Amino acid sequence: MPEQPALRRPIRVAIVGTGAIARGSHLPALTALGAEQPLEVVAAVDVDAASVEAFCTDAGIGRPYTDLGLMLAEQRPDLVALCTPPRFHRDQTIAALRAGAWVWCEKPPCPSLADFDAIEAAEGGPGSAGPYAAIVFQHRFGSGSRHVRRLLSERAMGRPLVAHCQTTWFRDAAYYSVPWRGTWSSEGGGPAMGHGIHQMDLLLDLLGPWSEIRAMAGRLVHDVETEDVSTALVRFENGALATVVNSVLSPDEVSRIRIDCEEATVELTHLYGHRNADWRITPAPGVSPERAASWRNFGADVPSSHEAQLRGLLDDLRTGRRPRSSGADGRTSLELVAALYKAAFTGGTVRAGEIGPDDPYYGTLHGNAPGWAPGPPAVTA
């Protein structure tokens, strides 16, 4: 790839969607990085005029908009932070890309693989400096995940053999009273899509490509279209076997990844973000104290966060380099979620790469499966 000229002027950023995730995560990350590098949040967009006006006033942002197209035409941002519900991600991302802006899109990426592939098709072509669309998978970023990824890639602790990936959270009826939650059209899926995708993405980032999956899903408590719990068995290309549990029925909330290697177990236990202290490495009998100590040396503590991911994304934008969690790298987690639903709803084994444009699970994650696809209730005699 030819070297691209670096962007040296201040990066112009627009925030689309001014709800909780914009206020609590995106804006603080942009503010923190704006204090140390040339960066300016030039506009915000929301269909709720009062919300976007209050957001701009509170944040000191120059211009509120209720029309995305008008903002893109007038402000010409370099980066759009997309903080809207998933059903809007495809059209809004493509509009920003076509206007020449990079996109940093909140998870879940979009409601289907078809949507994701349309987004990828709108990105800059091979050899270009973008624009690109990256998904917010902040759990990949930070010192702990970086250190463990290196240990696993180098086989420092031997081959990875057995893994567990757990997102067991609790959401009550009030949570699902928000109209767009629990529906296929708005969220694309249930806890596998909207909650557990973070830990599954991190598991894939640590272990590499998966090869096959079997799964079950249930609607045990909540009156929603999607599932409220799922379990899965996943085989990875490197031979490792993993269990995956995604739940919103669990009062004792935890996010956990555990990987048993030949010479050590590495475990991460946290909830919504991790630091070095949340990782634990237990050596097998016979491992020297010196080797174990080297595995446990995580270096300076950089928590996983929106800020940690955004820092790398801004570097990529300035140099015209495809960012992590974009393109094929961003698609892998959505493909695993789609395969989980197909395996659960069909009762079969799903292999990596088999869900293509002719597959019912390509255009929608419920795959029009009886009992899961939205529609009118069955008529009884």
Side-chain angles (χ1 to χ4, degrees):
M1 177 184 296
E3 185 175 349
Q4 303 290 343
L7 179 64
R8 302 193 182 281
R9 60 173 173 77
I11 292 176
R12 296 170 56 82
V13 184
I15 299 175
V16 180
T18 56
I21 195 66
R23 289 180 175 270
S25 297
H26 285 252
L27 184 59
L30 287 163
T31 301
L33 293 177
E36 63 182 53
Q37 60 180 277
L39 182 153
E40 180 184 6
V41 182
V42 296
V45 184
D46 200 294
V47 293
D48 185 329
S51 175
V52 69
E53 288 169 6
F55 182 84
C56 288
T57 297
D58 294 344
I61 296 172
R63 183 73 189 274
Y65 288 83
T66 57
D67 185 295
L68 174 62
L70 181 62
M71 184 280 292
L72 292 170
E74 290 187 352
Q75 297 296 329
R76 308 299 298 179
D78 301 301
L79 175 66
V80 169
L82 199 55
C83 307
T84 53
R87 71 176 182 270
F88 301 119
H89 288 175
R90 170 180 172 160
D91 290 346
Q92 291 176 338
T93 298
I94 290 174
L97 290 169
R98 287 177 175 169
W102 288 41
V103 177
W104 191 34
C105 179
E106 261 300 329
K107 67 83 191 167
C110 46
S112 72
L113 289 169
D115 289 337
F116 193 97
D117 289 349
I119 290 170
E120 188 174 0
E123 292 181 318
S128 75
Y132 299 115
I135 308 304
V136 176
F137 283 136
Q138 75 271 22
H139 291 205
R140 293 188 189 189
F141 299 85
S143 50
S145 53
R146 181 175 63 246
H147 177 67
V148 171
R149 187 186 310 112
R150 181 183 62 79
L151 292 177
L152 292 169
S153 67
E154 295 175 355
R155 298 288 175 92
M157 300 175 293
R159 292 182 299 130
L161 303 172
V162 183
H164 305 275
C165 180
Q166 175 184 352
T167 304
T168 44
W169 294 356
F170 187 79
R171 298 293 184 265
D172 59 14
Y175 174 84
Y176 284 105
S177 67
V178 177
W180 61 269
R181 288 181 175 147
T183 67
W184 293 105
S185 62
S186 293
E187 291 194 283
M193 178 68 156
H195 303 84
I197 194 171
H198 269 309
Q199 297 312 302
M200 290 190 287
D201 179 76
L202 179 55
L203 184 72
L204 290 168
D205 197 51
L206 295 174
L207 286 183
W210 62 280
S211 59
E212 62 178 300
I213 184 172
R214 304 174 187 180
M216 292 187 292
R219 193 185 292 122
L220 304 186
V221 172
H222 296 292
D223 183 17
V224 293
E225 289 181 356
T226 66
E227 87 288 4
D228 55 17
V229 62
S230 66
T231 62
L233 301 174
V234 183
R235 188 189 305 275
F236 284 79
E237 286 186 3
N238 60 20
L241 300 177
T243 62
V244 178
V245 179
N246 301 302
S247 165
V248 289
L249 310 178
S250 309
D252 183 12
E253 294 187 296
V254 69
S255 304
R256 178 179 291 122
I257 286 179
R258 170 178 167 144
I259 301 172
D260 297 321
C261 299
E262 291 175 299
E263 296 185 280
T265 292
V266 57
E267 186 170 14
L268 167 65
T269 304
H270 67 116
L271 189 55
Y272 299 135
H274 53 80
R275 309 181 69 98
N276 287 354
D278 297 317
W279 296 81
R280 183 179 66 176
I281 296 179
T282 304
V287 171
S288 71
E290 293 77 16
R291 289 186 69 204
S294 70
W295 298 338
R296 292 168 172 155
N297 181 13
F298 283 75
D301 190 11
V302 179
S304 68
S305 65
H306 283 68
E307 181 180 335
Q309 180 175 2
L310 180 60
R311 187 184 302 278
L313 177 61
L314 293 174
D315 288 343
D316 294 332
L317 192 160
R318 289 189 183 281
T319 58
R321 178 178 57 231
R322 176 177 282 281
R324 295 185 64 203
S325 77
S326 70
D329 185 45
R331 191 183 191 273
T332 180
S333 300
L334 183 60
E335 183 188 7
L336 182 60
V337 172
L340 185 155
Y341 284 130
K342 181 178 180 180
F345 299 162
T346 64
T349 298
V350 178
R351 290 171 175 79
E354 79 170 51
I355 301 178
D358 295 332
D359 192 294
Y361 289 86
Y362 179 76
T364 176
L365 296 188
H366 58 66
N368 294 313
W372 290 102
V379 177
T380 57

